[in-house]
Amino acid sequence: MTRIAFVGTGAQGAGIGADLTRAGLDVTFIEQWPAHVEAMRERGIEVRFPSHTEVTPVRAFHLAEVATLRDPFDLVFLLVKAYDTRWAVELIKPLLAPDGLVVGLQNGMSIDDVASIVGPERTIGAVIEMASNMFEPGIVNRQTEVANSWFAVGAYDDAARGRELEVQAALGHAGTVEISADIRSSKWMKLVANAGELVPSAILDVPLAEAVRMPGVHEFMIECGKEAARAAIADGSRLVPIFGLTETQVTGPEQYAQDLLGEVLDKYSLPDTRTTVLQDWMKGRRGEVDEVNGLVVEVLARVGETAPHNAHTVALARQIEAGTLERSPRNLDLLLGL
C-alpha cells in the first residue's frame, strides 16, 4: 500500500488527511503544535462540516519524533505555511522513498523550493480551494464539503510528467482533482485570487464576505488581483482556468482577476469565512504576506513596473505584524487611502 505523510496538519492538512484515512489509505500526520498532536492521539481528528461531523482516528507525530520514523513515504503532502517550506522539505527528505513525490498544497510559489531540495522528478505542484479553520487542538471547522472542494495537480517539469495520476488517485478522496499541464501558471492564478482576498480583509479584521461589502474594498481587491495577473505574465506564466472554470472563461488579465475573485466569493466563502492570514494573526502568527502580495511587488519590480495596491497592502500588513498598527475595521480609510 502507498504510504502517505501529511506534513502540516492544521485546518486544511488535517481535514484532507482525515478524508484519505477514512478512505482506507495509509496516512501519517506530522505536526508542529504539541497540543494538537496529543488531542489527535487521544480523540482522533474531529472535522465539523456544514452538514455533519466526522471523527477519525489518525496516526499523529510531532516534528521532534520524525527522526524516530523508519519506513519511507511514497507521497508527502506539504501543508505548512509557504515560508516554512524549505525546512519542512529538508525534514521529510530522509524519509522520502527514492521514487517518492512531494506535493505542495500551499499558497504562493513554493514549488521551486521543493524541487531544489528533492529534485524536479519528485516534485508535484498543486492548487487547493476550500475553506477551513482551526482554533482548538484536534478540531477542524471545514466550511467546504468534500463534494465542493477543488484541487489541481501538475508535474514540476517533464521529469515527473505522468505521475500526477498517482496524486490524483489519492487526493480524489478529498474533492475534485484536475490535472494541470502547466501547474506554475495554475498556481499563479490562485495567487491572483489570493492577492485580492487574503491580506486586505485581514487588515480590516473581518470575514471575507463582510470585507467585500465595505465601501471601496471590493474594488481595491480587484486592483490587487489585476496587478497579480500582470505579475504572472511578467514571470512567464499564462492565464489558465482554475476552480473548475473553462478556457472560454479566461479573458484578459484585468477581467480574469475580477472573475477569479468572484469565483472564490461565490463558491468557497461562507459569511463567517476568515482568510488564512487573518486566522494566523488571530493566533499571533506571521501571515503569508511576502509570499503573496510581496511576490507581486517583487516580480513587477524586476520588469520595471509597479504594484501600488499590493505594495500598500504589504506595508500595512507589516505594521500589523510589527505591532504598530492594530487590525481593525477602522483601517478602512487607511487601506483605501493609497
Side-chain angles (χ1 to χ4, degrees):
M1 179 181 288
T2 299
R3 299 192 72 250
I4 299 170
F6 277 76
V7 180
T9 57
Q12 304 283 54
I16 298 168
D19 291 336
L20 273 59
T21 301
R22 289 195 302 276
L25 304 187
D26 184 342
V27 179
T28 297
F29 285 38
I30 297 172
E31 172 56 37
Q32 59 183 313
W33 184 12
H36 184 35
V37 173
E38 292 308 314
M40 289 191 290
R41 285 174 171 172
E42 291 174 12
R43 307 187 300 273
I45 183 69
E46 179 177 332
V47 182
R48 299 173 179 174
F49 291 91
S51 63
H52 66 291
T53 296
E54 296 271 7
V55 178
T56 306
V58 295
R59 187 167 56 249
F61 294 88
H62 188 270
L63 292 180
E65 298 174 309
V66 170
T68 69
L69 302 179
R70 293 292 179 267
D71 294 329
F73 294 107
D74 305 295
L75 280 179
V76 173
F77 289 100
L78 195 67
L79 287 106
V80 296
K81 295 298 177 182
Y83 51 70
D84 285 333
T85 298
R86 296 198 66 87
W87 68 256
V89 179
E90 291 285 7
L91 176 75
I92 203 65
K93 182 181 177 181
L95 286 169
L96 186 64
D99 61 346
L101 297 171
V102 176
V103 186
L105 283 170
Q106 303 164 285
N107 292 324
M109 300 299 291
S110 58
I111 187 171
D112 293 317
D113 289 333
V114 175
S116 71
I117 296 169
V118 300
E121 73 282 1
R122 297 199 287 179
T123 300
I124 298 290
V127 179
I128 175 175
E129 192 54 45
M130 55 183 276
S132 303
N133 63 67
M134 174 184 286
F135 295 100
E136 301 176 63
I139 299 175
V140 172
N141 300 297
R142 182 163 166 180
Q143 297 181 306
T144 309
E145 300 279 359
V146 170
N148 298 322
S149 299
W150 183 91
F151 306 89
V153 298
Y156 181 81
D157 64 17
D158 288 342
R161 195 77 62 196
R163 302 201 62 194
E164 306 96 327
L165 292 171
E166 301 169 40
V167 180
Q168 184 184 43
L171 198 55
H173 297 289
T176 299
V177 184
E178 298 181 6
I179 293 179
S180 170
D182 182 358
I183 195 62
R184 184 180 297 276
S185 291
S186 295
K187 288 185 71 62
W188 259 114
M189 296 304 97
K190 174 65 184 300
L191 194 146
V192 168
N194 282 349
E197 61 166 338
L198 295 188
V199 186
S201 63
I203 290 170
L204 298 170
D205 195 30
V206 295
L208 179 58
E210 185 176 338
V212 170
R213 292 195 299 270
M214 298 171 76
V217 173
H218 191 205
E219 292 77 12
F220 183 91
M221 290 177 169
I222 290 171
E223 291 302 321
C224 286
K226 289 177 180 178
E227 292 171 3
R230 293 197 291 272
I233 293 170
D235 197 47
S237 288
R238 303 176 298 116
L239 303 182
V240 298
I242 61 171
F243 304 158
L245 296 173
T246 64
E247 288 284 357
T248 59
Q249 293 172 284
V250 178
T251 54
E254 309 234 330
Q255 183 61 47
Y256 194 40
Q258 182 172 339
D259 292 344
L260 285 178
L261 183 59
E263 285 293 308
V264 172
L265 295 172
D266 291 343
K267 296 181 179 178
Y268 303 103
S269 177
L270 296 179
D272 62 343
T273 297
R274 290 169 169 83
T275 67
T276 58
V277 172
L278 180 51
Q279 291 181 46
D280 286 336
W281 287 353
M282 292 170 69
K283 298 171 185 175
R285 297 180 55 178
R286 178 161 54 100
E288 294 170 316
V289 177
D290 291 337
E291 292 75 18
V292 178
N293 302 83
L295 182 62
V296 173
V297 176
E298 177 187 330
V299 169
L300 286 180
R302 287 185 212 145
V303 295
E305 297 184 28
T306 60
H309 293 81
N310 282 278
H312 184 57
T313 298
V314 170
L316 293 179
R318 286 178 176 163
Q319 290 179 51
I320 290 171
E321 293 191 341
T324 58
L325 177 68
E326 291 187 9
R327 63 181 196 272
S328 169
R330 295 188 299 275
N331 291 334
L332 177 60
D333 290 342
L334 194 58
L335 179 67
L336 302 183
L338 188 58

